Amino acid sequence: MFKVFWSVLHRDLLLAMRRRTDVLTTLFFFVIVVSLFPLGVGTEHAVLRVLGPGVVWVAALLASMLALERLFAADYEDGTLEQLLLTDQPLVLLTLAKVTAHWLLTGLPLVLIAPLVGMQYRLTDTAVAVMMVSLLLGTPVLSLIGAIGAALTLGLRGGGILLALLILPLYIPVLVYGAGAVTVGALAFGDARPYLTLLAAFLVAALALAPFASSAALRISIE
Amino acid sequence: MTLSWSRFASPATFYPLAGRLIPVFWVLAAALILLAFYWGFFETPDQLGGSNAQKGYYRIIFIHVGTAWMSMWLYGMLVLWAAVGLVFKTRLSFMMANAIAPTGAIFTFLALWTGAIWGRPSWGTYWDWDPRLTSELILFFLYVGYIALHSAIDDSRRADRAASLLAIVGLVMVPVIFWSINCPDPNQCAALHQRSGLGKVDGNILFAMLTMTLGFWMYSFATTLMRLRGIILTREAETTWVQDLLRSEGRPA
């Protein structure tokens, strides 16, 4: 069973490594969006420090959502997805593997780039640390929930904008606690613990439930 | 006589039944809403509260509370029918869910709109990020998402099932969203909506409010059934019973 998981994961990562620009596009989108805000609202340190957590998290939401379109699309177009559905392996596991690959390619880079973004917003060192942990816990939830939307909008005209409409409202809890953790944890890491614990709880719940919903959605979209 | 639960699950048998029920619900809706308007305007006090009294404008709650309740209730019903459709694979359930959605969206919008009008004189602002306001806004987004997804898919079978799954996911997320915006830290924000209970409300006001809600409920039945009849006719246009029906009414098929 784990072999199936690994082989799908390995395949998706290999495919992505052959086309590295796709991964970098998401990352640069994130960096550009975050860099635009100081130009729009002014570069006063006090303002930036207040806006920073929210802006970074909203940018992370948008970046992960834009990347979702590619989660199943390529496999859907060339028929691989249909073959995956026809195998006798549990679809939940296959979906989970695809989502994991997607997170490793789009979520993890955001976590790693966070210190750089934190510098732009003059965040304190502890705030940057909290931001990295919160992104580490929160972005997988975004990928897991987003996969449901990506599966539902598979192959539709105007799928991208529709996906945004469906998924962004569901991202709210992650946004609230992710950005809240960074704001609260600006002085001491321990202050952010309740927020981070709740994010971890979201992650566990999403891991347990979301793959079932997205594999059900895949079955609906491909009949 | 045995009562068959699935008898009215067929669009062909439900269509005439809905046609008979619609006028009943319209009459009930009109009667209840008119009674509630009368009671709300003439049988309730002109002012509420002590030091900072609310004048006549408080009367918007008769509409506001009813629409807010209905918006939530109808989302629950939408999800119920969507789930029934997914489990029992009945076409009519999906059509029902589909017919409920616009009415629910309208009630959600009205709750937000009347709330804004009420909020301006009493809170001094049309909008604030109070948990209940924000949740209602997100409920509105969920309705819009359901309608948008359904109308984006041409194949009606896929549209029904995809939108139903989305509605169910939305229902799971609503409490999470509500509790996440419900002030994680009470020092940072306070809810503008005060804690309230039906027992604390003046009897006449409560009567007008509940009657209005009941009227809205009947209105929802009437409009949903009307929309449902339209959906049934569109989807079943090729079947013989619709052709027969059109012919008997003397309309070109």
Side-chain angles (χ1 to χ4, degrees), chain A residues 76 145 148 151-157 162 165-166 169-170 172-173 176-177 184 195 202 213 216-217 220-221 223, chain B residues 86 138 141-142 144-145 148-149 151-154 157-158 161-162 165-166 169-170 173 176-177 179-181 184-185 188:
Chain A
Y76 177 66
I145 297 177
I148 305 172
L152 285 175
T153 55
L154 209 51
L156 298 182
R157 56 193 143 73
L162 187 64
L165 195 67
L166 305 185
L170 305 181
I172 290 167
V176 170
Y177 288 107
V184 171
Y195 290 78
F202 286 152
I220 289 170
S221 294
E223 297 212 291
Chain B
L86 284 178
I138 286 149
F141 292 155
L142 290 179
V144 171
L149 181 64
S151 57
I153 306 177
D154 294 326
R157 187 178 142 81
R158 186 184 157 188
R161 301 177 55 198
L165 187 72
L166 180 76
V169 172
M173 292 301 288
V176 182
I177 294 173
W179 288 111
S180 65
I181 50 184
D185 183 356
Q188 285 182 336

Side-chain angles (χ1 to χ4, degrees), chain A residues 49-50 53-54 175-187 191-192 194-195 198, chain B residues 128-131 179-192:
Chain A
R49 214 166 277 161
V50 173
L175 171 69
V176 170
Y177 288 107
V182 185
T183 310
V184 171
L187 297 176
D191 292 346
Y195 290 78
L198 271 167
Chain B
D128 203 350
W129 295 97
D130 172 80
W179 288 111
S180 65
I181 50 184
N182 195 8
C183 286
D185 183 356
N187 294 323
Q188 285 182 336
C189 50
L192 287 170

